[in-house]
Amino acid sequence: LVASLEDVEETYIMVKPDGVQRGVVGEIISRFEKKGFKLTGLKLFQCPKELAEEHYKELKEKPFFPKLTEYITSGPVVCMAWEGVGVVASARKLIGVTNPLQAEPGTIRGDLAVQTGRNVIHGSDSPENGKREIALWFKEGEVCQWTPAQAPWLR
Ligand code: RTP
Ligand code: MG
């Protein structure tokens, strides 16, 4: 059974500052590429405080909110938009649960991180938030819609 166009979703994925500092950007991108999702946006970016606060606004009342926005703005992040069938939930599986000590080996957090407050990567938690976050982090024209080549070397 082949999925139809309506099943195509988009998600916002971000390598957090610790992931950039530790040199795991390539490894993370590679996992999404190998899974079969399509990269539609990519940039290295120093996030201003206001944007970090807007991105995590649902967590504004949490005691860890100030530390969280401090963490996200502590150095450059890698912003990505990925597209594909079921990409939102699948990305969350590839990422693993919030606490890296509880994340399964084989997941990004399970393999690459130890602390909840330094868990290397973000992924949108719903298709709605995927759209919201891509619009928040990328300017008009920074996200590219493209069609993979149909294996022209076989023609
Ligand atoms: P994210 O949004 O970054 O993908 O992470 P998530 O969905 O797995 O977790 P969420 O509940 O949305 O929390 C956002 C980020 O806040 C930090 N956090 N610290 N108890 C704590 O100290 C605590 N809880 C959450 C983590 O960096 C988490 O990824
Ligand atoms: Mg979240």
Side-chain angles (χ1 to χ4, degrees):
L1 204 70
V2 172
S4 71
L5 265 183
E6 300 93 79
D7 302 321
V8 175
E9 300 172 349
E10 46 191 355
T11 193
Y12 177 66
I13 301 295
M14 175 169 70
V15 182
K16 294 177 177 176
D18 51 331
V20 175
Q21 293 291 333
R22 292 175 48 209
V24 294
V25 172
E27 155 119 32
I28 289 172
I29 291 176
S30 186
R31 290 186 182 207
F32 286 87
E33 281 189 325
K34 286 178 189 164
K35 175 70 178 170
F37 294 127
K38 186 164 75 177
L39 183 65
T40 57
L42 175 67
K43 67 176 176 185
L44 184 74
F45 180 64
Q46 174 60 54
C47 172
K49 198 84 166 181
E50 304 72 47
L51 179 56
E53 288 170 357
E54 177 65 21
H55 173 76
Y56 280 123
K57 67 180 178 191
E58 286 160 15
L59 302 174
K60 207 165 62 195
E61 305 307 324
K62 301 283 187 191
F64 59 81
F65 186 75
K67 285 268 176 242
L68 174 57
T69 56
E70 194 183 308
Y71 165 40
I72 296 302
T73 58
S74 66
V77 295
V78 172
C79 308
M80 290 179 269
W82 287 91
E83 190 184 280
V85 173
V87 71
V88 174
S90 178
R92 300 271 294 182
K93 277 196 174 168
L94 291 174
I95 289 169
V97 297
T98 311
N99 180 346
L101 289 181
Q102 277 153 24
E104 293 292 328
T107 65
I108 292 165
R109 286 171 176 162
D111 289 346
L112 305 178
V114 175
Q115 299 185 70
T116 300
R118 295 287 183 270
N119 61 0
V120 301
I121 183 168
H122 161 81
S124 307
D125 60 11
S126 68
E128 296 67 39
N129 274 336
K131 287 192 189 309
R132 176 183 83 89
E133 292 168 5
I134 288 169
L136 193 61
W137 288 87
F138 287 100
K139 290 188 207 133
E140 187 94 22
E142 285 184 335
V143 176
C144 293
Q145 300 307 333
W146 58 283
T147 306
Q150 302 296 309
W153 51 89
L154 295 179
R155 270 186 232 131

